[in-house]
Amino acid sequence: MGPKDSGLTGARVLERLHRAAPPPFALLRRHGAGGRGPGPVEVFFGRMETVRSLDEAEPPDASPGPGALVLLPFRQVAEHGLPCHDDRTPLRVLRISEHHVLPEGALTGGGGPVRWREAGFVTDDAHYERLVAEFASSDAARGGLNVLLRRDYTARLPGFRPAVAVELFRRLLTAEAGAYWTFLVHTGGERPTTLVGATPQGHVAIEDHRVVMNPLCGTYRYPSHGPRTGELLDFLSDRKESDELATTVDAELTVLCALAGPGVRVEGPFLRRMAHLAHTQCRISGPAVAGARETLSRAMFASTAVGSPYAEACRAIHRHETTGRGYYGGLLALIGRDDRGEEELDSAAVIRTLDIDHLGRARLSVGATIGSRSSPAAEAAETRTKARALLTALTAEPAPAPAPAPSPVKRGPAGTATGTDRPARDGSDRPDLDGAAAPRPVRDALVRRRAALSSFWTSGASAPAARADRVLVLDTGGEDLTALLHMVTSVHGPAEVIGYEDADAGDILARHRGPVLLASGPGRPDDPGSPRMAALRQLSASVLRGRPRGRAPVAGVGLGFQLLALTAVPDARVTPRTGTGLARDVEVFGRRVTAAFRNTYAVTAATSPGHGGPPALCPGPDGRELIAMHGAAVRGVQFRPESVMTTDGADVLRSLLS
């Protein structure tokens, strides 16, 4: 996005920022397109408006350069029919009339100490640990739900004025060189809001006609002595951390597949290095099929700041958090056009951000992603670590036991990071975390993590298959099927989706000759008190029993598999799923597969594999839980082939539909 420069010098621009009542403005340093290193500091001036929806956020003209900076509060999830605590935080748009690029070094030099009073977490560690323990032991968590639950740190800044926020921004430029966006937004007016932060989480962007997302999850907290290779390797091999990142990638893939054409690709994982911690992150992209505003609207919000599955996580946040989030978990988005007049979009999640009101009252919200294997003490410690860089910026005191200063980040082929290794002064094993400069064991661990992801997604080879017999996908309710449909289209051919409420077994049997696929969803398939499950049981049994011999098979995944097994396997029983974790190594009819298991319940049977005729049954390691079944008329798998965690998911799905 090119500049709309009025010709002011850097000194004149900074003078305007230090006025007692400056006009609305924003300061921004962001990483370049494609993951390149940090760019220059940009300054935007313009008119700040409050709007009702993103439809009103269109840039004022089609000239090159940034046209609008959008501040999306978390309460906008209500636009998608999801619950939230409505705190009336406004949706704002800065209509950009001036865009300046500050010369390097313009913000050097200290601005003196920042005074703060009455600072501390609103709730103590013990309260947050109880919250973590309660959720981690719930059926929802055991069924694979991960949710980010926040806690708030508040402080009062006596004599606060926008110039103080400029000083905080200057400190963050040095303290958090690894941030995706470092930013300051001042809304102006009689009761202005000021946001200043350094977020590691880029969200959705449009770059060179490709829509790009940057799912980030998994946190390595540097100990007091700084990062160590051995500890970093332990983090990279921790199944809980890899499951959390893969779950986040799955959630973002569901969003991206609705915004992209064939050729969706997953790259990574990479390490994003911050001052006090490091995250694992992937990059997913595909050919853009929607404009900037539609892309932004359909991509609300980053799963990193919410959890996954997304809708369930929003409902869990509404249950467990008692107040609104303000802008926390929302988005900052820059919309504009390149020199050719093509739309551009870049956005970042509002996390690691101070929200300061006109009286100098500041709130910093931080959270940890909670799942079934979460440790309450560890998650509470993670929230403290995430707050650390921002809290350090609030005071003139140096950060205790800082990590090694970050080296410049550059990007090489395929998004791999490159940099310069910098040994610790004391000669200890403090690794540079930046890609090619990292110790070989760290690079090898990242290669192994990548090899454990689905080759379907990492190859980007997802052109639609050319088949005449389309797949009828039965939506069992409660889940977004976009990623599954993307894979179905790629491995078999065109697909049609019909909700279970609208499906008629007689109509399906009469007119549909191709494969029928029962998708997954939440819930217990034999629940006697659920009208939805009663309808699904009747529909699946009617379709399976009435299917003429010689027709394409009826198949199921997850809940769909369970529903079919209750009809096709005489002694099938539903039981709560045992064990923890999402990714499991299983054998499916002689093939070793790492697969994603998300359902809270499992189907067990005493029938041995192949006993009693088709379908052949494939039990899990305990000999009772059914992992898969395969016959001429009915097939299915308990796990999710479309997940990035399922190594051979495309081949598994192809075998179900063939």
Side-chain angles (χ1 to χ4, degrees), residues 254-273:
T254 295
V255 175
L256 187 129
C257 285
L259 299 169
V264 171
R265 184 181 183 190
V266 175
E267 301 170 76
F270 312 113
L271 284 169
R272 178 166 289 279
R273 176 182 180 173

Side-chain angles (χ1 to χ4, degrees), residues 20-235:
F25 72 89
L27 293 171
L28 176 61
R29 184 181 69 182
R30 52 197 172 116
H31 274 245
R36 294 189 295 273
V41 174
E42 301 171 86
V43 186
F44 307 118
F45 291 103
R47 184 178 74 258
M48 187 68 72
E49 298 178 357
T50 297
V51 298
R52 289 170 296 184
S53 72
L54 274 173
D55 290 338
E56 301 176 42
E58 186 174 7
D61 56 50
S63 60
L69 181 68
V70 185
L71 289 70
L72 278 157
F74 185 75
R75 72 182 186 92
Q76 294 300 125
V77 299
E79 287 189 8
H80 295 288
L82 296 170
C84 68
H85 297 288
D86 187 357
D87 53 13
R88 301 188 180 279
T89 303
L91 168 57
R92 289 178 163 128
V93 180
L94 178 65
R95 308 285 188 187
I96 298 170
S97 57
E98 295 180 42
H99 174 204
H100 307 275
V101 177
L102 292 183
E104 188 173 354
L107 284 171
T108 58
V114 176
R115 294 181 300 144
W116 53 308
R117 300 287 185 271
E118 303 164 15
F121 278 108
V122 175
T123 56
D124 61 16
D125 280 4
H127 179 275
Y128 191 76
E129 289 174 15
R130 287 194 297 273
L131 182 65
V132 172
E134 176 187 346
F135 181 79
S137 62
S138 68
D139 285 345
R142 194 160 48 82
L145 177 62
N146 290 291
V147 62
L148 185 134
L149 298 176
R150 84 176 206 275
R151 60 193 301 209
D152 295 333
Y153 189 100
T154 59
R156 184 172 59 84
L157 302 177
F160 176 78
R161 61 193 190 283
V164 174
V166 174
E167 169 62 14
L168 294 176
F169 174 81
R170 184 196 67 78
R171 296 182 185 190
L172 286 175
L173 291 179
T174 301
E176 287 293 16
Y180 183 82
W181 275 22
T182 306
F183 59 88
L184 187 169
V185 181
H186 177 70
T187 64
E190 294 183 0
R191 301 166 66 89
T193 293
T194 302
L195 302 177
V196 57
T199 175
Q201 173 67 74
H203 185 44
V204 64
I206 297 177
E207 304 170 0
D208 297 326
H209 303 287
R210 288 185 72 83
V211 59
V212 180
M213 300 182 78
N214 298 275
L216 175 150
C217 200
T219 303
Y220 167 50
R221 303 189 310 276
Y222 304 155
S224 59
H225 50 259
R228 294 291 191 269
T229 298
E231 295 166 347
L232 181 56
L233 292 174
D234 289 342
F235 162 71

Side-chain angles (χ1 to χ4, degrees), residues 2 97 307 342 358 376 461 646:
S97 57
E342 301 286 347
H358 66 290
T646 302

Side-chain angles (χ1 to χ4, degrees), residues 442-458:
V442 173
R443 285 180 280 152
D444 290 345
L446 288 169
V447 170
R448 288 193 295 273
R449 285 277 298 267
R450 186 177 196 277
L453 301 179
S454 166
S455 59
F456 173 82
W457 295 112
T458 57

Side-chain angles (χ1 to χ4, degrees), residues 205-358:
I206 297 177
E207 304 170 0
D208 297 326
H209 303 287
R210 288 185 72 83
V211 59
V212 180
M213 300 182 78
N214 298 275
L216 175 150
C217 200
T219 303
Y220 167 50
R221 303 189 310 276
Y222 304 155
S224 59
H225 50 259
R228 294 291 191 269
T229 298
E231 295 166 347
L232 181 56
L233 292 174
D234 289 342
F235 162 71
L236 290 174
S237 62
D238 187 330
R239 196 67 173 261
K240 170 188 173 292
E241 300 289 350
S242 60
D243 278 5
E244 285 184 1
L245 176 62
T247 300
T248 302
V249 173
D250 279 346
E252 303 288 63
L253 274 173
T254 295
V255 175
L256 187 129
C257 285
L259 299 169
V264 171
R265 184 181 183 190
V266 175
E267 301 170 76
F270 312 113
L271 284 169
R272 178 166 289 279
R273 176 182 180 173
M274 304 293 284
H276 301 282
L277 45 80
H279 297 293
T280 43
Q281 179 177 30
C282 287
R283 171 185 165 93
I284 61 178
S285 66
V289 297
R293 284 181 302 155
E294 182 181 354
T295 295
L296 189 61
S297 176
R298 293 169 67 179
M300 292 191 298
F301 286 107
S303 292
T304 298
V306 178
S308 58
Y310 185 83
E312 289 183 69
C314 285
R315 287 188 277 269
I317 288 170
H318 188 243
R319 287 194 303 270
H320 292 281
E321 294 183 6
T322 58
T323 59
R325 287 185 160 199
Y327 289 107
Y328 176 71
L331 292 174
L332 292 178
L334 190 62
I335 302 174
R337 296 184 185 274
D338 63 18
D339 293 337
R340 298 166 297 181
E342 301 286 347
E343 272 197 323
E344 288 188 318
L345 168 68
D346 194 9
S347 65
V350 182
I351 57 177
R352 322 288 162 83
T353 299
L354 281 170
D355 187 330
I356 311 169
D357 71 10
H358 66 290

